Amino acid sequence: MKKAFAPCDVAVYLLLAALVFGAGFAGGKRGGFEYLVTIGGERVCSVSEAGVEIVSAWISRVRREENGDAVRLIVDAGEGGFNEIEWRDGKIRMSNANCSAHRDCTRMIPLSEKSSVPIVCAPHRLKIERSGKNLSPVAG
């Protein structure tokens, strides 16, 4: 009777499984992704587990509030418009806006490691999207 796996095959599979499993949990807490907030294509700020970085030209138009484990950014979108962005537990979402009667941007799925569809407020030309940078630590 022929064996399904040779001893060296099992060792290789175990080593590969350990590397894949370990890469996902290296360094404890994962860094996640960086998210960019833009208005009309102009960068306003970036948000990640490392913190919030507001572009100097926007400092007077972005107010930052912290409430426990949540960070809220109130962005002056111009002409009396505003958008409230909430960052909590590795997710970013549009929590409030005065863009239209329907406020569709506040009903969009929050961005996280599992969802990558940008959040868009068309009337204010504001977009929240992944920067493409995965800030998770690299194993090794």
Side-chain angles (χ1 to χ4, degrees):
M1 187 166 152
K2 198 172 193 179
K3 291 183 181 180
F5 296 101
C8 64
D9 289 340
V10 173
V12 168
Y13 290 129
L14 288 174
L15 178 62
L16 185 60
L19 287 173
V20 169
F21 183 77
F25 295 99
K29 189 174 185 179
R30 291 196 271 174
F33 288 90
E34 177 184 54
Y35 302 95
L36 297 180
V37 178
T38 59
I39 293 183
E42 183 181 345
R43 184 177 174 162
V44 174
C45 64
S46 61
V47 180
S48 70
E49 289 289 339
V52 175
E53 181 184 326
I54 301 170
V55 174
S56 60
W58 285 87
I59 287 179
S60 64
R61 294 179 60 187
V62 178
R63 190 172 81 233
R64 177 187 173 143
E65 298 175 354
E66 293 190 36
N67 184 7
D69 63 343
V71 175
R72 178 168 286 144
L73 301 171
I74 296 97
V75 179
D76 174 358
E79 299 179 10
F82 74 89
N83 292 80
E84 288 184 18
I85 300 165
E86 183 181 77
W87 168 259
R88 177 192 308 249
D89 299 326
K91 296 179 183 174
I92 190 167
R93 69 183 188 99
M94 191 81 67
S95 58
N96 195 9
N98 68 344
C99 51
S100 68
H102 298 290
R103 300 181 317 141
D104 294 327
C105 57
T106 64
R107 293 181 177 91
M108 297 183 82
I109 296 171
L111 278 168
S112 68
E113 288 188 20
K114 295 180 181 178
S115 62
S116 61
V117 177
I119 297 171
V120 177
C121 178
H124 292 162
R125 302 178 339 157
L126 187 142
K127 180 165 55 168
I128 306 169
E129 62 186 331
R130 279 191 195 167
S131 71
K133 255 192 231 179
N134 184 340
L135 304 176
S136 296
V138 177

